[in-house]
Amino acid sequence: MKVHARAPGKVIWFGEHFVVKGKPAIASAIDLYADVTIEPIDSDRVIIESRDKGVIYDYSRRGKPPRLLKPFKHVIDYIVGEGYTGRPRGIYARISSSIPVGAGLGSSAATLVAFTAAFLKYHGVPMDSNTVSKIAYEGEKIVHGKPSGIDNTVSTHGGFILYKQGVLQKIDYVWRDDYVLLVVDTGISRNTGHAVKRVLDRYNRVPNVMTKIYDAAEEIVYTALKYLRKGDFEQLGELMNIAHGLLASIGVSIKRIESIIHTALKQGASGAKLTGAGLGGCVLVLVRNDLLDRVSHSISRVSKKIRIFPVKPIGKGYSVRVYE
Ligand code: MEV
């Protein structure tokens, strides 16, 4: 038996960082994916391989895993420790991903969701989305410290999601085909845990000012819900611009992010903001089709390191297939 699982990356439209202090956020799954296949091997060894990075770990030897594979070891420990399975069978697990890493697109959560789903399926454990998301979150804690849980939630469930304090609500939305959503990778990778700490430190230094910014971010989320449901992308774009201003004010923008945003807006994009943790990572640009070439061309001239991905929100979260 061979099992293949796939899980999508995500973008946060509104509410990153503010979500860490319990404010609501809006995110959607996007059509970039992580894949995990699990096959039997002729021994009781448990091998995990990251195809993209060429790193391998033999779980059965119980040695120290390479940093990149530590969350997967932790997920197996958790699954076994909580009694979901007995001792794991002999397997070879291959992990690969088309989601840029360290870019705020939920690549670690997507690989962990796909890995969890494939592992449970291979061992014949009945599963539901909440279990998959919960277990993947255990791995996320190893990567990011104490993340809000939005990444594993969106990757598991798919669609547009309103997320608040661990609770998700699927959002109805109208997707306009006369617009394109660009994910612009700045080429500067960053660490989510570090960005979150930086924001929380500022929060603790000037809480009276920061709480007002957090309240404004919350207001943006509830206003954005209205425009998403109506498919009013011009208004949505304007909210993205305001949201970015708030993210800059809490200290997570950098020069390259600002250059991309200014260039995109100057060339006619409807909205642009950083997405995810900031300090590098990605920028979201919402642009009308007829302006796409002009906007993309100008953005790509900001730096040779920039990569541009046109993406679409997708309704489906993880999927698992079994090949006999
Ligand atoms: C990272 O994708 C989003 C942050 O809000 C952190 C989190 O929610 O855990 C910056």
Side-chain angles (χ1 to χ4, degrees), residues 10-13 16 30 32 100 102-105 180-188 190 240-241 244 247 252-265 269 271-287 295 299 302 306-311:
K10 66 95 194 32
V11 291
I12 297 182
W13 286 73
E16 52 272 269
I30 51 169
L32 295 173
L105 301 179
V180 182
L181 181 66
L182 298 178
V183 167
V184 182
D185 186 354
T186 58
I188 300 171
R190 47 89 205 106
M240 288 168 75
N241 297 335
H244 180 73
L247 287 162
V252 288
S253 193
I254 54 169
K255 191 171 162 202
R256 185 156 320 152
I257 291 177
E258 293 301 320
S259 304
I260 292 168
I261 291 176
H262 280 267
T263 306
L265 295 178
K273 67 180 280 290
L274 74 81
T275 182
L279 300 180
C282 289
V283 174
L284 270 190
V285 178
L286 188 63
V287 56
V295 170
I299 292 174
V302 170
I306 283 174
R307 290 187 301 164
I308 303 176
F309 303 85
V311 298

Side-chain angles (χ1 to χ4, degrees), residues 185-197:
D185 186 354
T186 58
I188 300 171
S189 80
R190 47 89 205 106
N191 177 294
T192 299
H194 168 71
V196 168
K197 181 172 180 308

Side-chain angles (χ1 to χ4, degrees), residues 10 12 15-20 25 103-106 137 140 144 146-151 163 190 192-193 195-196 199 247 252 275-278:
K10 66 95 194 32
I12 297 182
E16 52 272 269
H17 284 291
F18 309 110
V19 73
V20 173
L105 301 179
Y137 180 71
E140 278 283 272
H144 297 309
K146 198 174 169 293
S148 64
I150 191 167
D151 290 14
Y163 182 87
R190 47 89 205 106
T192 299
V196 168
V199 171
L247 287 162
V252 288
T275 182

Side-chain angles (χ1 to χ4, degrees), residues 41-55:
I41 45 172
D42 271 349
S43 72
D44 56 2
R45 290 166 73 196
V46 176
I47 313 279
I48 311 169
E49 177 191 357
S50 161
R51 300 218 89 177
D52 309 319
K53 301 282 174 199
V55 189

